[in-house]
Amino acid sequence: MAAAIAIADAEGLGAVSIRRVATELGARAMTLYSYIERKEDLLDLMADEVAAEVLVDEPLPEDWRAAILTIARREREVVRRHPWRVDLVAQRVSVGPNGLRHVEQSLAALDGLEVDQLTKWRILATVDDYSLGYIIRESLERAAPRTMGVNDAERAAIAEPYMRELVASGAFPRLAPLIEGGVAGADDTYERGLNWLLDGIEGDLPGR
Amino acid sequence: MAAAIAIADAEGLGAVSIRRVATELGARAMTLYSYIERKEDLLDLMADEVAAEVLVDEPLPEDWRAAILTIARREREVVRRHPWRVDLVAQRVSVGPNGLRHVEQSLAALDGLEVDQLTKWRILATVDDYSLGYIIRESLERAAPRTMGVNDAERAAIAEPYMRELVASGAFPRLAPLIEGGVAGADDTYERGLNWLLDGIEGDLPGR
DNA sequence: AAGCGAGCCGATACACCGTACGAATAATGT
DNA sequence: ACATTATTCGTACGGTGTATCGGCTCGCTT
C-alpha cells in the first residue's frame, strides 16, 4: 500500500499497476494477490489510507462554521499532497474506516446545531459536494499543463489560435472578454464559495 | 462518435475501446486512427457531443435564479441519460464548442446582475462545482449496486456485518443512528443545496 | 484521358495490462 | 520430524492503445 501510494504521488495513479508495485517491492506480480483479491482492493486501501490525513486533530473549533471550514480546508490540502485522490473519490464510494471517521468528525462539527440528524447529514453532504466539485476542477486545471506533453509552449501554440478563433467568431460575446483578460483572479474562490454556501445554510436554520 | 456513445450508454465507458468501436462500425481497429489521433480525442468528442444536450433551449427565465436552476437541472438530467459523462468531466477539462456554449449561456443567465464579469464567473464556477460534486456522488450511489456483482444480495451480505460491527464498536456515536435508520430521505437534496448556495450568493450581492 | 497524390483501410506487431492456474517453496503448528 | 498451511512465482490468456507499413480508392490536375 505504501509502495503504491509512493508511486501514485510521484507518477500519478496511472503508473500504479500490479506489476509495477510488485517490482517496487522486489517481488513478482502475482505475489500481491496473496494479500488482495483484486486491484480494486488496493485502490480502496490507498483511498482509505490518505483519508486518514483528512482527519483534523482535535479539538475542533466550537463555532460550527469555523469547524466545517477547518475540515473543508483540510480536504483540499490532502488532495494537494495526493492529487490522485480525486480520481479515487470520483469513482468509488469511500466507506473505509477512515472515511467513516471523517463523516463522524464532520457530524461532530455540527453538534452545536439544533436541527435533526437528517438535516445535519444534508448539510454535510452539500458542503462535501461543493468541496469535491471545486477540488476536482482545481485539480484538473493544475494537472492539465503537466498532462499535455512536456512543454507548455506546445499546448499554448495549439490553444491560442483556437481561442483567437472563438473570440473572433463573435459567438461568445460574454465569454470572450474573460478569455482575453484571463480568468486567473485571486485564489480565494474556494473560500468564497464555501462562505456563500454556509451563509445560505445559516439563513435557513430555525430560530432566525 | 455516435457508435462510441451508444456503447457507453449501453455498457458504460469501460466498454468503449478502439477495437470495440471499430467492430461496431464494421471496420478494423486502426481504421479509426484516420479520424482521431488518440483515444483521448474520441473521448473529448463524446464529451462535447453530450455537452450539447446541456444547452437549454432559449429563452431562459428572466430571473437569474430561475435561469441558473434551469441550467443546473438540465445538467443533472443529461448525466442521468449518459452516466459516463461524470467520468469524463471529472478527468478532462471540457473546452469543446458545446462546453463553451454552455458557459456562454450560463453567463447570459446572469445578464441582469449588476456585478463585474469576474464575479459572474465566480458565481458560475461555484454553482457548477456544487453541481458536479453532487452529481458525482449521486451517480456513484446509483452505480454502486450495479457495479458490485449481479446480485444486490451478495453485496448486502458483505456490507451488513461490516456496518453491524461499526455500530457495535461505539466509535461512531453520531453516524450509527444514521446507518441504522437509513439515510435515504427525500430526493430534494440537490435542489436544497442549490437554493442554499443561491441564497448565500444573493445575500452577498451589492445593494442589499 | 492519364497520372498522381492524398486520404482511407487493414494486417501485423509491440509493450503493457489484470489475473486464472498450478507448481514450487517457505512458514507454521503438532 | 512431519503435515499443513501460507506465500511466492512462472507461465499463459485475453484484453488494451497504438506504431509501422503496405495496398487501395478516389478526385484533381495536367
Side-chain angles (χ1 to χ4, degrees):
Chain A
M1 209 174 70
I5 290 178
I7 295 172
D9 282 344
E11 305 173 44
L13 199 60
V16 177
S17 77
I18 296 290
R19 283 173 174 83
R20 175 68 195 281
V21 174
T23 302
E24 216 77 24
L25 259 38
R28 245 45 68 189
M30 292 311 291
T31 300
L32 301 199
Y33 283 86
S34 298
Y35 307 90
I36 57 173
E37 235 168 13
R38 275 185 246 89
K39 190 193 178 183
E40 275 199 352
D41 299 344
L42 176 59
L43 297 180
D44 284 337
L45 288 171
M46 292 170 67
D48 203 60
E49 181 70 10
V50 295
E53 296 184 33
V54 182
L55 294 174
V56 175
D57 316 325
E58 310 281 356
L60 282 171
E62 291 273 340
D63 176 44
W64 68 274
R65 287 186 62 142
I68 290 285
L69 279 174
T70 305
I71 295 175
R73 288 191 193 113
R74 176 63 74 95
E75 173 78 44
R76 190 182 179 200
E77 289 166 17
V78 172
V79 171
R80 223 175 249 263
R81 277 198 293 273
H82 310 289
W84 44 273
R85 177 168 161 78
V86 297
D87 298 304
L88 292 185
V89 298
Q91 260 158 18
R92 63 216 321 106
V93 278
S94 42
V95 289
N98 288 326
L100 295 182
R101 270 190 268 270
H102 164 63
V103 177
E104 178 73 20
Q105 183 168 60
S106 300
L107 279 170
L110 301 186
D111 272 349
L113 254 50
E114 291 184 1
V115 296
D116 59 311
Q117 286 294 86
L118 186 60
T119 304
K120 286 185 183 177
W121 191 83
R122 275 183 176 156
I123 292 174
L124 290 184
T126 303
V127 173
D128 261 11
D129 289 344
Y130 167 69
S131 289
L132 176 61
Y134 178 88
I135 290 171
I136 284 181
R137 192 169 51 80
E138 181 184 45
S139 188
L140 238 50
E141 283 166 8
R142 195 187 304 278
R146 259 182 293 123
T147 314
M148 324 275 202
V150 188
N151 47 348
D152 309 305
E154 185 184 342
R155 197 63 194 179
I158 300 176
E160 205 198 323
Y162 178 50
M163 299 204 296
R164 196 176 297 276
E165 184 192 332
L166 291 175
V167 174
S169 76
F172 304 97
R174 300 170 184 84
L175 185 54
L178 282 174
I179 293 180
E180 295 221 68
V183 213
D187 191 34
D188 60 344
T189 310
Y190 183 53
E191 296 280 331
R192 183 167 306 216
L194 274 174
N195 276 306
W196 278 337
L197 191 50
L198 294 176
D199 285 347
I201 292 170
E202 189 167 3
D204 197 32
L205 252 31
R208 287 183 179 261
Chain B
M1 208 174 69
I5 290 178
I7 295 172
D9 282 343
E11 305 171 44
L13 199 61
V16 177
S17 79
I18 296 289
R19 283 172 175 84
R20 175 68 195 282
V21 174
T23 302
E24 215 76 24
L25 259 39
R28 246 44 66 188
M30 291 314 291
T31 300
L32 300 201
Y33 283 86
S34 298
Y35 307 90
I36 58 173
E37 233 168 16
R38 275 187 243 88
K39 189 192 179 184
E40 275 200 352
D41 299 345
L42 177 59
L43 297 180
D44 284 338
L45 289 170
M46 292 170 68
D48 202 61
E49 180 71 10
V50 295
E53 296 184 32
V54 182
L55 294 174
V56 175
D57 316 324
E58 310 280 355
L60 282 171
E62 290 273 340
D63 177 42
W64 68 274
R65 289 186 62 143
I68 291 285
L69 279 174
T70 305
I71 296 175
R73 289 192 191 112
R74 177 63 74 96
E75 173 78 45
R76 191 182 177 198
E77 290 165 16
V78 172
V79 171
R80 223 174 249 262
R81 276 198 294 273
H82 310 289
W84 45 272
R85 177 167 162 78
V86 297
D87 298 305
L88 292 185
V89 297
Q91 259 158 16
R92 63 214 324 105
V93 278
S94 42
V95 290
N98 288 325
L100 295 183
R101 270 190 268 270
H102 164 64
V103 178
E104 178 73 22
Q105 182 169 59
S106 301
L107 280 171
L110 300 185
D111 272 348
L113 253 50
E114 290 183 1
V115 297
D116 58 310
Q117 287 294 86
L118 187 59
T119 303
K120 286 185 184 178
W121 191 83
R122 275 183 176 157
I123 292 174
L124 291 184
T126 303
V127 174
D128 262 11
D129 290 344
Y130 166 69
S131 289
L132 176 61
Y134 177 88
I135 290 171
I136 284 180
R137 194 170 49 81
E138 181 185 46
S139 189
L140 237 49
E141 285 166 5
R142 196 187 303 279
R146 259 183 292 122
T147 314
M148 323 276 202
V150 188
N151 47 349
D152 310 304
E154 185 184 342
R155 196 64 194 180
I158 300 176
E160 206 198 322
Y162 179 51
M163 299 205 296
R164 197 176 297 276
E165 184 193 331
L166 291 174
V167 174
S169 76
F172 303 97
R174 301 171 185 85
L175 185 54
L178 283 174
I179 292 179
E180 294 221 68
V183 212
D187 191 34
D188 59 345
T189 310
Y190 183 52
E191 297 279 331
R192 184 167 307 216
L194 275 174
N195 276 306
W196 277 337
L197 191 51
L198 293 175
D199 285 347
I201 292 171
E202 190 167 3
D204 197 31
L205 252 32
R208 286 184 181 261

